[in-house]
Amino acid sequence: PSNTNTTTTKKSGGAVAGVVLVGVGVALLTGGTTATAVATVPTVDPGAPIVLLLHPHPLHGGTMNNKVVYTMFKTFVDNGFAALRFNFRGVGKSQGEYADGEGELTDAAYALDWLQHHNETTRSVWIAGFSFGSWVAMQLLMRRPEVERFVCVAPPVNMFDFSFLAPCPTSGLVVQGANDTIVPAHDVTEIIDKIESHRGTTLEYQLHPNADHFFKGYEEELAESIRMYINNWDGIHDLPI
């Protein structure tokens, strides 16, 4: 890929043994402007699976440091993944401005390029998103056949069109809170029931009875849902963890 790594900080000995935490400026946007990001690289497994995590809506306070995004990020890292979360254009120190979803999809595509470029021997490519980030993630999924799995939390089906998932080309997990007042659970359930899957793919749906949109107070339950999904993935048996 043409995008470059402009690493700004590097810290060894992160929260997980055998993981290097890297603060990077990823060249994402047109003209080589950059977005702030945090990436992890497992030092014990050069073939580790990779995951790109996308944050909520930039105009409604969404950042890569959102608690749900961080919970997802840490869960993947704890389970042996190389992971990247970043700020969309115009968020934090990322250059540019909000671009109605199209620009954010471009950002995500370049971020995935960066992640793949720095993990060339990866065995599997995943994508994950929370709220608005899940909408962008699923659009990227439809454009990148190398993506093997996805995780979406509280996909805003009442605000954005998800009809492009016809059918959904790969297996994945959707996690929703039953007490979500921003994205009603019944709307998500209805969409899940309508989505067709390719033969050989499975769409898993987990509804948490007491969680709201932000899984406040239920972060560990969210993490456990993702852990269980990873542990049921066939590729988990190849990980040295």
Side-chain angles (χ1 to χ4, degrees), residues 155 157-159 176-178 180-189 205 213:
V157 299
N158 57 329
M159 304 176 191
Q176 176 67 32
D180 191 333
T181 58
I182 297 175
V183 178
H186 63 80
D187 288 350
V188 178
T189 302
Y205 180 45
H213 186 70

Side-chain angles (χ1 to χ4, degrees), residues 158-171:
N158 57 329
M159 304 176 191
F160 298 96
D161 184 7
F162 280 76
S163 64
F164 55 84
L165 294 172
C168 185
T170 190
S171 298

Side-chain angles (χ1 to χ4, degrees), residues 26-223:
V26 183
L28 299 175
L29 313 180
T30 303
T33 52
T34 61
T36 52
V38 173
T40 64
V41 181
T43 59
V44 295
D45 182 14
I50 61 175
V51 60
L52 174 67
L53 298 108
L54 305 179
H55 70 70
H57 204 295
L59 299 184
H60 300 288
T63 79
M64 68 176 179
N65 296 320
N66 170 274
K67 200 165 186 177
V68 169
V69 175
Y70 178 78
T71 297
M72 298 168 73
F73 178 85
K74 186 176 185 303
T75 303
F76 277 108
V77 172
D78 287 348
N79 285 273
F81 280 68
L84 172 67
R85 56 189 167 100
F86 74 97
N87 282 333
F88 287 125
R89 58 183 68 196
V91 176
K93 294 183 179 180
S94 292
Q95 299 173 326
E97 59 185 21
Y98 177 66
D100 297 320
E102 292 185 11
E104 289 68 31
L105 177 57
T106 298
D107 295 349
Y110 275 106
L112 185 57
D113 285 346
W114 186 95
L115 189 57
Q116 291 178 287
H117 178 69
H118 289 272
N119 296 274
E120 293 181 344
T121 57
T122 184
R123 292 188 297 278
S124 184
V125 179
W126 292 43
I127 191 165
F130 168 44
S131 197
F132 171 84
S134 65
W135 179 61
V136 178
M138 297 309 287
Q139 291 184 80
L140 184 59
L141 169 72
M142 298 299 289
R143 293 163 169 79
R144 301 294 286 263
E146 71 270 29
V147 176
E148 182 180 352
R149 290 287 188 275
F150 68 87
V151 175
C152 287
V153 178
V157 299
N158 57 329
M159 304 176 191
F160 298 96
D161 184 7
F162 280 76
S163 64
F164 55 84
L165 294 172
C168 185
T170 190
S171 298
L173 169 68
V174 177
V175 186
Q176 176 67 32
N179 287 343
D180 191 333
T181 58
I182 297 175
V183 178
H186 63 80
D187 288 350
V188 178
T189 302
E190 183 177 342
I191 289 293
I192 294 297
D193 289 342
K194 289 181 178 179
I195 291 177
E196 296 180 4
S197 298
H198 279 295
R199 181 178 296 178
T201 66
T202 302
L203 184 59
E204 184 172 332
Y205 180 45
Q206 294 191 15
L207 184 64
H208 288 258
N210 298 310
D212 64 11
H213 186 70
F214 300 99
F215 279 77
K216 185 176 180 180
Y218 293 91
E219 293 87 358
E220 181 53 36
E221 286 80 357
L222 171 61

